[in-house]
Amino acid sequence: MTTGASVLSSIHARLQSGDVAGAARAIADVVRAEPANGAAWQLAGIIRRRAKDAAGAVEAFGRALAAGVRSAEVYNSLALSLEDLGRAEEAAAAYEQAFACDPAYLPARINAARLAAAQGDLAGAEAALRAVLAEQPGAVTVSNALGALYAEAGEPGKAAAQYRQSIAAVPGNLAATIRLGLALREDGRAEEALAHFRALAGRFPRAPEFADAMAGALIECGHVAEAEALLERTVEQSPDYFPAHRGLARLAHEYGTGKDPYRSYRALAERWPGEAAIWHSWTGLMLDRRDYAGVLGAVAGARRALGGLPELDLYEAIARSEQGEGTAAEALFARAAPRLGGTVLVPRARNALRRGEPAQAEALAAEATRADPADRFAWAYRGLAWRLLDDPREFWLHDYDRHVEQRAVAYLSDPGALDELRETLRGLHRAQAHPSEQSLRGGTQTEGNLFNRSDPVLRRLREAIREQVAAYLARFDGAADHPCAGYAGARFGFEGSWSVRLMGEGFHIAHIHPAGAISSALHVSVPPLGAEDGRDAGALVLGEPPAELGLGLGPRRVVTPIEGALVLFPSSMWHGTKPFRLHAERMTVAFDVAVRR
């Protein structure tokens, strides 16, 4: 007997509520019992992709197609999953199949253009979207996609102009209204963004996404109290809009409001204790903030309200591991693993390192890299395991001589160039404390993507750095199974860019950049060594693992910072900085590079 649509709808509802693991378990039961149920396999693909199991999603969508569910929607979902695996050519072919099924299916047209842009064909992607707009002038989703294309390409000014066209066509289009404000902020026009939000606030009085975006503009313009009041109203009106709760927590930490950062989450959990999504969101925030005592308290409350969800074992395992209870954490990881699959691999590998079990850590991290070759944390932990095991593959992964390079940005040696850059950056540092989920301690970080701003000082810097990155990538000509294989001559873009300003004893704890392929720090201001500073004060150290793992391993390379020079290295390489004693400014521009092979 084939499972009915109502059952599949109930499973989909679990997914939409945030219970990804529960939905995965339920759909697994269905496809196990009914391997020819195409609709169930399609839903399984959607769930697996949400669970970050791209390979499993590709399999599921393939099974749906084999069972006869040949629709533009399935081919589009298959293409997205292939993109997740870095299989761009196969993804493009799947989008072509979606067009063949239904040429008017806009998501596939939009996603195909986005893929083309990601592969470096911005002109082709733009032309494809404009062709759709010529066919369907009122297709605001396509107009918005074109705006997003410009935004991703680092052209927020063009993005803003396109979103204005979307709003002119459909004044009530919420997505275009929000994205216009975000594009203006990204372009360094925060006051203009705030004026835009204020002018249209009456049009969207109960849209939490609008309020959240407006709060960001208020914060950037220095109206912190007004932003806090807006977010307070938003969590009252839309208690299930979790970004507003996270925004309140961020304000409490970075802007010193003096209020409990979790107050809105506490109220939610007290009012609706049986809603799993509340506990997942709250606990996720505390994990990001490294508030492990808070995680344990929330997990205890969630268990009382929800019972023994495997995700709670995972959350508790991570927290106990970070508090030094490695044996208890391993028991919890082992209990959660059969039900959560690949989600457990990387944190369990980290715990294995902490417990002095490098062979187990290597096996777990190896499984994670096979499932997702782009998992930077899995490679980073695998590298540490190899180091502890005296395995020469440590230096195959990270060659600290060839893969780390310090390069001068030539124009910054021109008279006044560094001073001009410093003054531009100082004007963008408005927070009072470091973001709690980031690696810096004792400093601040700028908002948004620095290289997307139209400020001519930052645009000149971006293009100069682009030249340096292109030259650096040429050194990666290694084996095909290396995570950096194919970088030489590859197209690339900036995944993120920001400035960090440290004062006093500020420093960076050891960390990696999971969203990038290559990472860098350009040193803009380097303080002189004080009387109490050691020789390596303020230095960039690479290869030294996080201190909390207790491995007792020092750095593999120490780089003395030079003003006007950047240091480039693979994003999976552990790096941090040594603190300095002198109360002086240390300012950098950091960025991640996404390589399109």
Side-chain angles (χ1 to χ4, degrees):
M1 179 178 177
T2 302
T3 299
S6 62
V7 174
L8 297 182
S9 294
S10 69
I11 296 174
H12 189 265
R14 292 182 71 173
L15 176 68
Q16 293 298 93
S17 73
D19 184 11
V20 180
R25 291 192 298 273
I27 199 64
D29 291 339
V30 174
V31 296
R32 189 181 303 112
E34 302 170 24
N37 188 331
W41 278 114
Q42 181 180 359
L43 180 55
I46 294 169
I47 294 169
R48 290 177 182 181
R49 184 164 187 259
R50 180 79 69 86
K52 311 282 188 204
D53 180 9
V58 168
E59 179 205 7
F61 290 126
R63 297 285 292 268
L65 291 167
V69 185
R70 295 181 174 273
S71 66
E73 184 178 3
V74 174
Y75 278 113
N76 181 65
S77 297
L78 172 61
L80 290 170
S81 302
L82 289 166
E83 281 193 65
D84 293 338
L85 293 173
R87 293 155 61 179
E89 290 185 10
E90 294 173 75
Y95 286 130
E96 289 292 340
Q97 293 283 354
F99 304 156
C101 288
D102 183 359
Y105 184 68
L106 292 181
R109 305 283 293 271
I110 291 169
N111 287 331
R114 179 189 45 74
L115 175 60
Q119 294 300 301
D121 186 12
L122 181 62
E126 181 181 2
L129 291 178
R130 290 208 175 278
V132 179
L133 284 174
E135 298 166 9
Q136 304 180 48
V140 177
T141 56
V142 179
S143 178
N144 286 351
L146 184 56
L149 197 72
Y150 292 135
E152 287 293 320
E155 297 291 347
K158 287 185 177 180
Q162 188 62 42
Y163 291 134
R164 290 192 195 280
Q165 291 186 31
S166 296
I167 294 169
V170 181
N173 187 267
L174 177 61
T177 302
I178 291 173
R179 291 179 189 177
L180 171 55
L182 295 178
L184 291 170
R185 284 184 61 198
E186 193 85 335
D187 201 28
R189 296 147 68 185
E191 295 289 349
E192 188 177 342
L194 181 55
H196 160 72
F197 284 127
R198 289 195 192 282
L200 297 181
R203 187 176 291 172
F204 308 101
R206 301 189 69 83
E209 303 89 347
F210 181 92
D212 189 36
M214 182 172 175
L218 285 164
I219 292 168
E220 191 166 357
C221 293
H223 306 297
V224 174
E226 188 178 350
E228 184 179 48
L230 177 57
L231 290 173
E232 293 277 14
R233 291 195 300 273
T234 302
V235 299
E236 285 293 326
Q237 293 176 355
S238 304
D240 60 342
Y241 185 72
F242 296 123
H245 296 272
R246 294 181 72 95
L248 282 174
R250 178 198 166 206
L251 277 178
H253 178 78
E254 292 182 44
Y255 290 85
T257 66
K259 297 181 180 179
D260 173 12
Y262 306 136
R263 62 194 183 279
S264 62
Y265 274 111
R266 293 188 204 283
L268 274 186
E270 183 175 340
R271 186 174 178 185
W272 293 290
E275 289 293 333
I278 295 171
W279 297 101
H280 290 314
S281 180
W282 185 12
T283 308
L285 171 62
M286 288 189 284
L287 286 171
D288 289 344
R289 297 192 63 205
R290 301 179 175 90
D291 181 2
Y292 302 116
V295 169
L296 293 177
V299 165
R303 282 206 175 98
R304 288 192 295 271
L306 303 172
L309 294 181
E311 293 88 351
L312 300 180
D313 284 340
L314 176 59
Y315 301 152
E316 182 179 353
I318 294 171
R320 293 207 178 279
S321 177
E322 297 304 318
Q323 291 193 326
E325 302 175 47
T327 302
E330 168 59 18
L332 288 160
F333 281 127
R335 190 166 76 184
R339 301 180 76 184
L340 297 183
T343 309
V344 174
L345 291 172
V346 172
R348 192 178 184 185
R350 177 179 170 92
N351 187 59
L353 289 170
R354 179 179 270 119
R355 293 172 54 241
E357 298 288 348
Q360 182 194 23
E362 201 284 330
L364 291 164
E367 187 177 348
T369 58
R370 285 192 293 270
D372 181 4
D375 189 326
R376 310 297 174 199
F377 269 115
W379 283 113
Y381 292 131
R382 200 173 183 192
L384 286 179
W386 284 334
R387 181 174 179 180
L388 291 167
L389 294 166
D390 292 322
D391 190 317
R393 285 179 292 179
E394 177 202 350
F395 299 107
W396 167 85
L397 176 63
H398 294 142
D399 184 330
Y400 292 94
D401 292 325
R402 293 187 65 250
H403 292 171
V404 179
E405 186 175 3
Q406 189 170 39
R407 304 178 66 95
V409 178
Y411 90 89
L412 290 177
S413 63
D414 295 346
L418 264 175
D419 286 337
E420 182 181 48
L421 178 58
R422 289 186 190 110
E423 287 306 307
T424 298
L425 295 174
R426 285 172 187 146
L428 301 177
H429 283 273
R430 296 188 177 93
Q432 299 176 16
H434 63 267
S436 56
E437 71 278 8
Q438 300 298 336
S439 65
L440 65 151
R441 299 292 182 268
T444 59
Q445 181 171 306
T446 55
E447 301 268 357
N449 194 326
L450 197 68
F451 289 166
N452 280 2
R453 293 175 178 264
S454 61
D455 187 304
V457 173
L458 298 177
R459 283 300 172 100
R460 185 182 185 190
L461 176 67
R462 182 183 75 175
E463 295 313 307
I465 287 176
R466 189 184 297 278
E467 293 178 8
Q468 298 292 349
V469 171
Y472 167 77
L473 288 176
R475 67 182 52 241
F476 291 99
D477 56 357
D481 58 343
H482 192 280
C484 297
Y487 283 9
R491 294 182 293 270
F492 65 89
F494 294 110
E495 185 69 21
S497 53
W498 59 95
S499 172
V500 169
R501 187 171 186 247
L502 302 174
M503 296 295 292
E505 297 184 7
F507 66 102
H508 286 267
I509 61 174
H511 64 289
I512 68 162
H513 292 200
I518 299 298
S519 297
S520 179
L522 165 70
H523 292 96
V524 179
S525 294
V526 178
L529 295 181
E532 298 181 6
D533 283 323
R535 183 182 62 181
D536 292 339
L540 177 66
V541 294
L542 300 119
E544 183 174 36
E548 65 269 18
L549 294 183
L551 302 181
L553 301 174
R556 286 302 196 189
R557 184 166 175 183
V558 178
V559 178
T560 301
I562 299 172
E563 289 186 348
L566 52 80
V567 184
L568 291 153
F569 48 88
S571 297
S572 57
M573 186 179 286
W574 294 105
H575 59 285
T577 63
K578 295 293 186 182
F580 51 87
R581 301 291 183 185
L582 187 67
H583 189 81
E585 176 186 72
R586 182 180 189 273
M587 189 155 59
T588 58
V589 169
F591 56 87
D592 289 330
V593 173
V595 178
R596 283 101 185 206
R597 290 175 285 193

